Amino acid sequence: MATQRESKDSRAGAAAVRFLRAAKLCRIRDVEQLLAVSALVRDMGGLIHALQKERGASSVYLGSGGMRFAEDRARWQADAKALEAVLRDRLDLVDRQLDRLSSGAQFYNRVAIALHALDGLPALREQVASLALVPQDAVKSFSDIVGHLLAVVFEAADIAADPAISRALVALFNIVQGKEFAGQERATASAGFSRGRFDGVEHGRLARLIDAQNRAFRIVAEFADPAHGAAFRAALSDPAVAEVERMRAVALGDGARHGELSGITPEAWFEQATRRMDLLKTVEDRLTEDLRLLCEAKLAQARADLEQADPRGHDAVMPVAMVLVDADPALPGQEGAGLYAPDGLRPKLMRSVLDVVQAQSQRLRDVSLELETAKAALHERKVIDRAKGLLMSTRNLSEEEAYKLIRKTAMNQNKRIIEVAEAILSMSDILRGVTAGGGAAGG
């Protein structure tokens, strides 16, 4: 009887060892994936930063009718092309490194969408070079591409299961996201300073972009470790940041609607806004590098744990009661008692992490939104073509002349080309009636 019990205990112990080993192997695989992801995030961040500069320069170039920033735009375009080649090589490597089953279809779907968006860059650049776009449309096109790249960053980061790495990734993603909003602000205000005035639409957009930056940076401050938090605060205390805020106030003031810009040139704004973004990039780079070091340390520890695994060790069997912990007793009445609090995180902070990740995941995972965007772009193209056709038939214009008229009207009214095209179509009956009446009168 005793022998049978010992045999059963022995088999149970062997099974526990096997499962423990499998768990540790899974842990090693997860951290190896995160190490590959950290390199991808670094290269993705480099390309995003270059595209942000190219977008801003393109906005000034278009807003000034091709008179400003031609050389700067060409230089940053060359940088972006070089970094795009680096990223494409990295994606090929990551594809071989990541376990496709554990990474999931969503990651590869995001990569495919991002690569398709990058394929559209040559055509976008050609339109900018030929002044065939208004600044608002160019900014939107570049921002859409950057948005697809950010979606890949988030999707890759979403595989993290380690609490310390998750915190680092939340901070990193939000500084990249906040910097992107800062880049959109730079491009939007660049167009206004180039044109010599701002309007209510731009005021609203600038206010929203500033608010979005502040939200992202609050999350960075919450989740960054003390050293990164100090570096972030130091970056924001630079004189360039105060100068950007001064210029913001001028752009958002009522006088800016009438061209009262306090002598601020687009070059001065772009220089200070770029300085601010470069400072944020240094924090981003530090976060990215420290993420790599953290992943390497976690991987070394995971491999050491596998070698030293002992079924009688303290982590061989983890009772369920040890996984569920009460809320911090220093927080009486704290909602969330009993939540798993890994790495010593309080339940309140864990909820904050989950809120951030889930909200961003919901936004970025909605693939149907990508389809709707593609459909909307196709619809816009058809509307613009119909508007051109209407002008060609009613005003006796060539296709090129019709498009130039639509574009000029959009720039003068600070509207997107699609908005002007829709307005033209809404007046189709009037235009045709005027043409017919004019013809009758002339006869």
Side-chain angles (χ1 to χ4, degrees):
M1 208 56 184
T3 302
Q4 289 179 346
R5 281 198 304 271
E6 290 173 0
S7 177
K8 288 181 179 179
D9 290 344
S10 176
R11 289 197 299 272
V17 169
R18 289 198 305 274
F19 280 105
L20 178 62
R21 178 177 174 78
K24 291 182 179 297
L25 287 171
C26 288
R27 169 69 173 158
I28 290 173
R29 183 203 63 192
D30 289 345
V31 181
E32 285 176 339
Q33 286 189 337
L34 286 168
L35 191 56
V37 162
S38 68
L40 173 62
V41 169
R42 179 195 62 213
D43 293 342
M44 193 78 74
L47 175 58
I48 288 172
H49 194 64
L51 287 174
Q52 287 166 338
K53 286 187 176 182
E54 183 182 354
R55 173 181 58 196
S58 297
S59 183
V60 176
Y61 180 79
L62 291 169
S64 64
M67 301 300 293
R68 285 174 157 146
F69 272 39
E71 293 182 2
D72 296 295
R73 189 181 70 86
R75 182 173 72 255
W76 287 321
Q77 182 182 123
D79 290 345
K81 287 181 178 179
L83 290 167
E84 181 184 347
V86 171
L87 176 63
R88 287 180 182 270
D89 289 341
R90 174 65 60 188
L91 285 170
D92 288 340
L93 180 60
V94 168
D95 185 30
R96 296 193 295 271
Q97 289 176 326
L98 292 183
D99 181 344
R100 295 187 180 183
L101 291 177
S102 60
S103 297
Q106 194 66 26
F107 170 76
Y108 292 97
N109 183 59
R110 290 295 180 188
V111 170
I113 292 172
L115 289 174
H116 179 70
L118 289 174
D119 289 340
L121 268 173
L124 172 59
R125 287 166 173 155
E126 184 177 339
Q127 287 181 304
V128 172
S130 62
L131 301 177
L133 294 175
V134 293
Q136 295 91 329
D137 285 338
V139 170
K140 182 180 185 303
S141 295
F142 275 105
S143 298
D144 286 344
I145 294 171
V146 171
H148 293 312
L149 295 174
L150 281 172
V152 175
V153 173
F154 180 79
E155 201 63 49
D158 201 33
I159 69 174
D162 181 274
I165 295 176
S166 293
R167 288 176 60 92
L169 282 168
V170 169
L172 175 58
F173 180 83
N174 278 280
I175 200 165
V176 174
Q177 181 70 79
K179 187 165 71 67
E180 165 57 11
F181 291 133
Q184 292 182 30
E185 179 194 8
R186 177 179 62 183
T188 300
S190 290
F193 283 121
S194 297
R195 193 173 56 252
R197 61 179 176 81
F198 290 80
D199 63 16
V201 173
E202 285 173 324
H203 281 180
R205 177 166 175 75
L206 288 172
R208 289 191 296 272
L209 288 170
I210 292 168
D211 183 60
Q213 289 174 65
N214 292 337
R215 288 198 306 271
F217 293 151
R218 281 196 297 270
I219 295 172
V220 174
E222 181 178 358
F223 289 101
D225 65 28
H228 294 136
F232 180 60
R233 289 190 296 274
L236 294 184
S237 66
D238 190 272
V241 176
E243 184 62 9
V244 166
E245 291 177 353
R246 183 188 73 82
M247 293 181 176
R248 274 177 178 172
V250 172
L252 290 169
D254 290 337
R257 298 172 184 262
H258 310 292
E260 299 173 10
L261 301 179
S262 302
I264 299 173
T265 64
E267 289 85 356
W269 160 258
F270 194 90
E271 179 184 358
Q272 296 303 319
T274 298
R275 169 66 181 162
R276 176 174 179 261
M277 289 187 65
D278 286 344
L279 289 166
L280 293 172
K281 185 66 167 66
T282 62
V283 181
E284 175 192 329
D285 290 343
R286 180 170 174 178
L287 279 164
T288 303
E289 175 60 14
D290 288 352
L291 173 63
R292 181 186 67 82
L293 295 175
L294 177 60
C295 288
E296 288 181 346
K298 293 283 186 179
L299 182 57
Q301 183 61 53
R303 287 171 174 166
D305 287 347
L306 179 62
E307 293 175 0
Q308 299 171 6
D310 181 353
R312 293 164 299 191
H314 71 281
D315 61 344
V317 179
M318 179 71 76
V320 174
M322 293 291 289
V323 179
L324 298 176
V325 297
D326 290 331
D328 192 325
L331 300 171
Q334 179 66 43
E335 180 186 352
L339 292 179
Y340 176 45
D343 214 26
L345 296 181
R346 293 178 179 178
K348 179 182 179 181
L349 188 55
M350 280 303 300
R351 287 198 307 278
S352 186
V353 174
L354 291 173
D355 288 345
V356 171
V357 173
Q358 289 173 353
Q360 292 174 334
S361 179
Q362 180 64 33
R363 175 171 55 84
L364 292 172
R365 288 189 178 196
D366 190 1
V367 180
S368 64
L369 181 60
E370 311 296 347
L371 298 176
E372 291 300 322
T373 300
K375 291 178 181 178
L378 180 60
H379 171 71
E380 288 186 7
R381 185 72 268 162
K382 290 180 178 178
V383 170
I384 293 170
D385 287 343
R386 287 173 55 203
K388 286 192 298 185
L390 180 60
L391 290 176
M392 290 164 65
S393 63
T394 59
R395 301 283 296 273
N396 195 28
L397 300 175
S398 67
E399 182 177 1
E400 181 179 359
E401 290 170 336
Y403 184 77
K404 285 183 177 179
L405 178 59
I406 296 173
R407 179 179 177 276
K408 181 179 180 181
T409 304
M411 293 191 68
N412 290 340
Q413 298 180 4
N414 193 27
K415 293 182 177 180
R416 295 185 59 211
I417 288 177
I418 181 63
E419 294 173 330
V420 174
E422 288 172 341
I424 291 172
L425 291 177
S426 69
M427 298 176 63
S428 61
D429 291 340
I430 297 176
L431 288 172
R432 289 195 176 96
V434 169
T435 303

